[in-house]
Amino acid sequence: MQLSIDGFVAGPNGEMDWMSWNWDDGIKKYVTDLTNSMDCILLGGHMPGGFIPYWESVAANPDDPQFEFGKLMTDTAKVVFTKTIEKSEWNNTVLAKGDITEEVNNLKAKAGKDIITYGGANFASNLIKYNLIDEYHLFINPTIIGNGMTIFKDIEQKLNLKLVKAVPFECGIVVLCYEPAR
C-alpha cells in the first residue's frame, strides 16, 4: 500500500497525484519479487473497473515496458469483494459476496502461493480491522499531504506490529515491511 509520510493513501477526494512514480530499478524489482510470490489478488469492489482493464491493456501490448508485469497481473486469479456487483465482467476474476473474514480465511486455507491485496482504501481498512493481514508492505512516499483517506480509520483496538525489514530506494520511497506481533 502506498502511503504519504503522514499516513494517507489518498487525498480527501481520492487524489493520488502526490505518489512518487519515478521508481528506480530497485523498487521495481522489489514489487516484481513481491508479486511473483503470490497467485491470488484481492480487490475491493471499487477497484476492478480501473485496475483490471488497465493491466489488460498493458498485457495486450508487447511493446509496453510493463508488458511482463501486465501479463502476470492479468493471468493471476483475482477475487473481488463486493456487495453490489452481480456478475464478474473480467477474466480470471470471481466475486466474493459473503463475510469478509470467512471468505479471506477460506482463501488462505487453500494450497498455493501468497495472496496479495491491491486495494482500495476501504477494503484494506476492513482487512486490517478484522486482523486478516499477515504481512504489511507500506510504501512510504516522500510527501506530506496534510489530510485525506487512511487505511487505519476503523481500528477498534491496538494492533502491535513487528518490523521485518525497512528498505530505502533511490526514488525516495521507503518500504516498511511488518508482520503482526503475535
Side-chain angles (χ1 to χ4, degrees):
M1 182 67 67
Q2 293 220 42
L3 297 168
S4 63
I5 287 175
D6 48 351
F8 297 106
V9 296
N13 299 307
E15 303 91 342
M16 299 175 131
D17 56 346
W18 54 269
M19 289 183 185
S20 297
W21 291 109
N22 60 331
W23 287 13
D24 56 74
D25 290 340
I27 196 168
K28 289 175 186 174
K29 181 179 180 337
Y30 186 96
V31 171
T32 299
D33 290 348
L34 180 63
T35 305
N36 281 329
S37 74
M38 59 83 188
D39 63 3
C40 182
I41 300 170
L42 305 184
L43 299 168
H46 298 290
M47 285 291 292
F51 182 90
I52 296 172
Y54 173 79
W55 288 114
E56 286 175 343
S57 71
V58 169
N61 180 4
D63 295 328
D64 191 301
Q66 293 183 297
F67 174 75
E68 290 301 323
F69 192 79
K71 288 288 291 169
L72 177 63
M73 298 305 278
T74 56
D75 292 346
T76 300
K78 288 167 277 306
V79 179
V80 175
F81 285 75
T82 181
K83 299 288 186 199
T84 59
I85 300 171
E86 293 302 320
K87 182 178 178 220
S88 174
E89 305 171 12
W90 310 282
N91 293 328
N92 297 327
T93 304
V94 297
L95 303 179
K97 296 173 117 349
D99 176 75
I100 189 171
T101 301
E102 185 177 319
E103 295 270 11
V104 170
N105 284 329
N106 286 341
L107 290 167
K108 285 181 173 187
K110 291 181 179 180
K113 294 180 171 182
D114 291 338
I115 300 168
I116 197 166
T117 299
Y118 278 102
N122 287 331
F123 179 61
S125 184
N126 280 320
L127 293 173
I128 295 166
K129 176 181 179 178
Y130 297 116
N131 201 22
L132 296 169
I133 298 178
D134 298 323
E135 192 173 78
Y136 294 79
H137 292 263
L138 305 175
F139 288 64
I140 309 302
N141 284 249
T143 307
I144 297 170
I145 64 173
N147 65 5
M149 300 168 68
T150 177
I151 57 173
F152 304 112
K153 66 181 177 4
D154 293 327
I155 302 301
E156 295 172 351
Q157 62 185 18
K158 180 176 67 171
L159 176 62
N160 292 318
L161 302 175
K162 177 181 80 170
L163 181 66
V164 175
K165 62 184 168 187
V167 185
F169 294 98
E170 290 179 25
C171 63
I173 292 175
V174 176
V175 176
L176 302 175
C177 179
Y178 290 99
E179 293 176 348
R182 306 214 190 263

